[in-house]
Amino acid sequence: MPQPVVATGAPAHDDLARLAQPVATSVPWADFRVAAIVPCHNEAGAVEKVVRDLKHHVPGIDVYVYDNCSTDGTAEAAARAGAIVRYERLKGKGNVVRRAFADIEADIYLMIDGDDTYDPAAAPTMIRTLIEGHHDHVLGMRQQLVDTAYRPNHEWGNKILNRVVGALFGTNVNDMLSGYRVFSRRFVKSFPALSREFEIETELTVHTLSMRASTATMPVGFRERAAGTESKLRTYRDGTKILALIASLARHERPLAFFGLFAALCMLVSIALGAPVVAQYLQTGFVPRMPTLMTSIGLIIVSCLAMTAGLILDGMRKARHELSRLAYLQHGSVGSS
């Protein structure tokens, strides 16, 4: 699988300072409809600033704030800042993204959290990168502006999940849990959005890899949450859900490898159990350990069935990817003539 296009150079301070420069008068997205999707659950203390910053740095952008079961006046705060407020009653970030991707019509989509942890000043450069590179996905790779931006255990947990996905799908993943991304229309309209909660970033990353969508990565500032707001992410609970999603996606996207590994393990255990029984039969002509032999034969059958299932599902996966690719190609790339 081709490697994603990755921005090079030292991102730490020079790039972040450059991203904070005022937006030029002539903007490359002037001829495009640009929509920002801001999922929010009880973010009244931060969302107003996020909306105003996006409108300042990306002139002409439509900011859609999706109030997801908030009880603290999030919708009112977003409306004061000039956002288009919509509601999603099914709780969970994945449900919000699924609804927004289905409802909003635009050429370029920007997704950012409503907690003011991501730097909106990076948005113009991310959008410009998408347009000029004819990409379908630009990932904002988080760079801490303060040492306490990441919650305890989140940074190393993110690194572990990046390595797991990279190993499963054969490519490097820089920051798969980042909630700051820019998408083309054809990416959004070909994305199934099956996740309900914080697993949505993982699903977006895997969709990018499986579709081999053109991707660029660039550094974005990442800071602590606004005072008076609380993170909804639970490290171990949501980490477990993400791992379960990765296993499920590996089964769907790499069925031959998934079931092939299971088949190989069953075969090895079968050989380990059955070889001594067969050797004893050849020497004495008797099979005194019949239960062991039957277990060995049963594992061989299971191994063959697993391999057969893997082959069938791999064929179905290829057909599904062909259909997804056709749906993807129904929309032109950003900037195409």
Side-chain angles (χ1 to χ4, degrees):
M1 181 181 294
Q3 295 291 330
V5 179
V6 179
T8 58
H13 297 290
D14 294 340
D15 286 348
L16 297 178
R18 175 176 55 81
L19 295 177
Q21 297 300 315
V23 181
T25 304
S26 177
V27 293
W29 59 85
D31 297 327
F32 299 100
R33 294 170 297 171
V34 184
I37 299 169
V38 187
C40 288
H41 173 67
N42 289 337
E43 299 291 359
V47 67
E48 189 169 353
K49 181 177 182 300
V50 172
V51 174
R52 294 189 189 281
D53 285 349
L54 285 173
K55 286 183 168 292
H56 168 71
H57 290 289
V58 188
I61 193 172
D62 293 322
V63 182
Y64 293 83
V65 170
Y66 275 77
D67 187 332
N68 189 215
C69 307
S70 297
T71 57
D72 66 344
T74 293
E76 292 78 6
R80 283 196 302 270
I84 302 168
V85 179
R86 293 186 176 178
Y87 298 87
E88 174 53 55
R89 302 303 181 189
L90 295 176
K91 192 172 181 180
K93 185 176 181 180
N95 289 319
V96 171
V97 173
R98 179 187 180 93
R99 176 74 176 273
F101 280 9
D103 291 352
I104 297 173
E105 298 295 330
D107 300 308
I108 299 170
Y109 298 78
L110 182 148
M111 186 177 78
I112 186 171
D113 291 343
D115 55 9
D116 196 32
T117 54
Y118 295 100
D119 185 8
T125 306
M126 294 175 71
I127 296 171
R128 184 179 295 110
T129 299
L130 184 88
I131 296 171
E132 295 177 352
H134 297 280
H135 297 302
D136 290 306
H137 176 221
V138 176
L139 173 67
M141 186 171 62
R142 291 171 288 183
Q143 302 289 326
Q144 292 191 93
L145 299 178
V146 293
D147 293 338
T148 56
Y150 276 108
R151 291 176 60 199
N153 302 324
H154 281 197
E155 186 172 11
W156 65 262
N158 187 29
K159 290 179 179 179
I160 291 173
L161 292 172
N162 289 338
R163 291 177 181 176
V164 170
V165 171
L168 285 173
F169 293 92
T171 188
N172 294 326
V173 180
N174 296 296
D175 189 4
M176 60 171 277
L177 298 184
S178 173
Y180 199 3
R181 302 168 187 246
V182 175
F183 310 101
S184 68
R185 175 180 175 82
R186 65 181 180 183
F187 182 100
V188 165
K189 296 305 180 181
S190 65
F191 177 63
L194 302 177
S195 301
R196 291 181 172 85
E197 298 182 4
F198 285 103
E199 314 97 289
I200 187 66
E201 283 92 358
T202 303
E203 189 181 1
L204 285 165
T205 300
V206 171
H207 181 70
T208 303
L209 298 177
S210 63
M211 290 293 294
R212 287 174 281 180
S214 178
T215 300
T217 303
M218 59 170 288
V220 297
F222 185 62
R223 53 181 173 251
E224 290 181 298
R225 294 178 59 88
T229 63
E230 180 183 358
S231 175
K232 288 79 186 174
L233 184 64
R234 298 295 178 263
T235 303
Y236 298 106
R237 183 199 66 183
D238 293 310
T240 301
K241 288 183 179 180
I242 291 170
L243 284 173
L245 177 65
I246 291 172
S248 177
L249 289 170
R251 179 167 56 88
H252 284 88
E253 299 296 333
R254 294 291 184 271
L256 192 57
F258 185 89
F259 287 97
L261 177 61
F262 181 72
L265 290 174
C266 289
M267 186 62 71
L268 287 174
V269 174
S270 173
I271 292 172
L273 292 174
V277 177
V278 173
Q280 189 175 21
Y281 171 76
L282 293 175
Q283 291 176 358
T284 65
F286 294 101
V287 184
R289 298 165 60 190
M290 185 59 71
T292 302
L293 179 63
M294 296 306 296
T295 301
S296 177
I297 294 172
L299 287 172
I300 291 175
I301 295 173
V302 170
S303 176
C304 293
L305 289 174
M307 197 64 196
T308 302
L311 290 169
I312 293 172
L313 291 173
D314 190 59
M316 294 174 63
R317 176 192 64 84
K318 290 179 180 178
R320 176 165 48 84
H321 280 193
E322 289 174 357
L323 291 174
S324 297
R325 185 70 181 176
L326 290 174
Y328 168 83
L329 292 175
Q330 288 180 355
H331 306 279
S333 66
V334 174
S336 62
S337 57

